[in-house]
Amino acid sequence: QVQLVESGGGLVQAGGSLRLSCAASGRTFSNYAMGWSRQTPGKEREFVAAVSWSGTGTYYRDSVKGRFTISRDNAKNTVYLQMNSLKPEDTAVYYCAVVRNWPYGMDYWGKGTLVTVSS
């Protein structure tokens, strides 16, 4: 089993940037595609982005394309989500997970990190 710990969330004004990190331990990190999802109160968790095991393949939900960038560093067992031009509708708890079925099927969730974008 893999353990995931997210960090980097916080409060930012609209138009600002944040970089989320997800540190993995347990099973061999580089064997797995990884992804980020997000959830706001009263709504279902939604897919945000995924990155292949090598880092060369990525996939994004339409609303974040051109603003968010997912990447990974297999030497550090860490996956990142760089978020630019943030909007109030990006406010959510962001979760890191292992992608079991590319690109939407995720498992082994972390506990999440809260991102709040003020208008």
Side-chain angles (χ1 to χ4, degrees), residues 20 22 33-39 45-52 57-72 79-83 90 94-107 109:
L20 305 183
C22 173
M34 299 294 296
W36 291 91
S37 291
R38 64 189 182 188
Q39 188 170 24
R45 193 172 299 184
E46 63 181 21
F47 168 84
V48 175
V51 60
S52 65
T58 57
Y59 194 83
Y60 299 92
R61 69 179 297 106
D62 286 345
S63 63
V64 307
K65 285 180 182 177
R67 300 189 297 123
F68 290 11
T69 302
I70 189 171
S71 62
R72 66 191 296 161
V79 62
Y80 304 99
L81 186 67
Q82 177 67 45
M83 305 185 295
D90 295 317
Y94 283 72
Y95 297 91
C96 173
V98 173
V99 175
R100 305 273 276 182
N101 295 296
W102 183 264
Y104 304 116
M106 298 187 182
D107 202 352
W109 301 93

